[in-house]
Amino acid sequence: MELDLVKVDAIVDEYKGEQGLLISILQDIQSEFNYLPKEALFRVSEKLELPIGQVFSVVTFFKAFSLKPRGRNIINVCMGTACHVKGATNILDKMKRDLGIVEGGTTSDLRFTLDTVRCVGCCSLGPVVVVNEDTHGRATQEQIPKILDNYQ
């Protein structure tokens, strides 16, 4: 599938003349494509007259950026101490089984990407699963199918 570089150009052009907005541009491109295609990064490098190494160093430094296609729904299972003690490992294992993917993986239909985070700041609600912007506290293995169904 050919990447629509017109969209990339439009995103970069929105920031024309503003300095230091590489991260914002990359965030917007990732929002558009759900990851950062390499062709888009080369175009950003070209349009901003930045070395491609500088663009890639920013992309690889921040965990929020992805060079691989991600699912429409990003699942983060909190593995912080409080969630871990309350069974987050079991929640993660159930998610992996139900989705048929490993941690860091994406379903073949690009519906879900499964990842972990160290803490989401809701320790009293552990174990916590965050899907996109929705926080699901006191999650149990039995609730996982229902949580996933909400995002089908």
Side-chain angles (χ1 to χ4, degrees), residues 2-70:
E2 186 83 14
L3 181 69
D4 186 358
L5 290 175
V6 172
K7 290 181 180 181
V8 175
D9 290 343
I11 290 168
V12 175
D13 290 345
E14 284 180 40
Y15 294 95
K16 204 72 162 174
E18 296 182 45
Q19 296 295 320
L21 290 173
L22 177 59
I23 292 173
S24 297
I25 289 169
L26 295 172
Q27 288 172 322
D28 288 356
I29 292 170
Q30 183 161 286
S31 291
E32 179 67 36
F33 298 102
N34 222 12
Y35 77 111
L36 293 170
K38 286 184 181 156
E39 302 90 341
L41 299 179
F42 280 101
R43 181 58 69 98
V44 169
S45 168
E46 176 186 310
K47 288 190 68 85
L48 296 180
E49 299 178 354
L50 293 173
I52 189 63
Q54 183 177 344
V55 175
F56 272 100
S57 69
V58 170
V59 170
T60 57
F61 180 79
F62 292 101
K63 187 180 186 319
F65 291 130
S66 177
L67 292 168
K68 299 184 311 187
R70 299 183 322 157

Side-chain angles (χ1 to χ4, degrees), residues 112-150:
F112 295 104
T113 293
L114 178 62
D115 223 332
T116 59
V117 292
R118 291 292 142 224
C119 185
V120 294
C122 306
C123 299
S124 65
L125 298 176
V128 175
V129 174
V130 179
V131 183
N132 303 328
E133 303 297 320
D134 304 327
T135 302
H136 303 273
R138 296 185 182 90
T140 65
Q141 290 185 60
E142 294 75 27
Q143 293 171 337
I144 299 306
K146 184 176 183 201
I147 290 171
L148 295 176
D149 285 347
N150 288 332

